[in-house]
């Protein structure tokens, strides 16, 4: 039989407020779904994570304020406007 590669995915869910208490460098990617505007502490944590090579995926929704996410520092960290 053909060899099968094993793959696993560990998921941790939480709120934007809880984000700043995590060691983001422990994660291969951070995925934000319908995120509100992040507070300054979460903003700094995410900025450091992305600038350090981390992958950030953002799925905007009705709670996601485009004016916040399209402005600095996000405009330099995200590949496109929302």
């Amino acid at each position: 039989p053909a060899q099968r590669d094993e793959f696993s995915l560990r998921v941790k869910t939480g709120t934007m407020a809880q984000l700043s208490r995590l060691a983001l460098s422990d994660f291969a990617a951070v995925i934000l779904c319908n995120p509100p505007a992040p507070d300054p502490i979460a903003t700094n944590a995410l900025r450091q994570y992305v600038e350090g090579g981390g992958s950030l995926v953002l799925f905007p929704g009705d709670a996601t304020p485009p004016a916040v996410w399209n402005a600095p520092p996000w405009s330099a960290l995200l590949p496109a406007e929302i």
Side-chain angles (χ1 to χ4, degrees), residues 38 43-44 46-47 51 68-78:
T43 296
N44 190 49
L46 286 167
R47 182 186 54 74
E51 289 176 348
V68 171
W69 292 98
N70 290 334
W74 306 107
S75 57
L77 298 173
L78 296 173

Side-chain angles (χ1 to χ4, degrees), residues 1-6:
Q3 181 178 345
R4 196 175 108 191
D5 292 332
E6 294 298 319

Side-chain angles (χ1 to χ4, degrees), residues 7-41:
F7 177 78
S8 66
L9 183 65
R10 184 184 63 183
V11 176
K12 182 162 185 75
T13 61
T15 65
M16 188 67 79
Q18 295 168 324
L19 188 69
S20 59
R21 294 189 292 253
L22 297 173
L24 297 182
S25 60
D26 291 345
F27 297 91
V30 172
I31 300 171
L32 303 177
C33 299
N34 194 22
D39 64 35
I41 295 170

